[in-house]
Amino acid sequence: MGRISAGVSAEERSSLITVRNIVEDLTETFERQVPTEEIIVQGQLKGLSKEIVLAALEKLQRMGDVFEPKTGFISKIYDV
């Protein structure tokens, strides 16, 4: 949580947390690789635009919370 709060607005922080939670929830359904389109759909159901979801995914990738194992899929990075 500390990494998300550093240097971002409250609105962006909320979007990051929402998208990260969506990825975590969908990981249980899709196992390790979650289709990006499904993350977008779930984000839209929570009131986020496609652009906001994609921006949040990009930021989460830069932060090291998720990665894109192949085009169109997102996986969360597991702590060891």
Side-chain angles (χ1 to χ4, degrees), residues 19 22-23 26 34-55 57 72 74:
V19 172
I22 289 169
V23 171
L26 291 175
V34 180
T36 303
E37 285 301 317
E38 186 61 28
I39 298 168
I40 293 168
V41 168
Q42 294 302 313
Q44 290 173 327
L45 291 173
K46 294 184 183 291
L48 302 176
S49 70
K50 177 179 181 176
E51 293 77 18
I52 289 174
V53 172
L54 292 174
L57 285 172
I74 297 293

Side-chain angles (χ1 to χ4, degrees), residues 2-43:
R3 290 184 320 200
I4 287 182
S5 62
V8 297
S9 68
E11 184 177 340
E12 184 179 2
R13 184 172 43 254
S14 175
S15 298
L16 288 170
I17 291 168
T18 299
V19 172
R20 186 181 64 189
N21 290 340
I22 289 169
V23 171
E24 288 179 5
D25 291 344
L26 291 175
T27 297
E28 295 175 14
T29 303
F30 291 95
E31 296 182 16
R32 292 190 174 260
Q33 296 183 5
V34 180
T36 303
E37 285 301 317
E38 186 61 28
I39 298 168
I40 293 168
V41 168
Q42 294 302 313

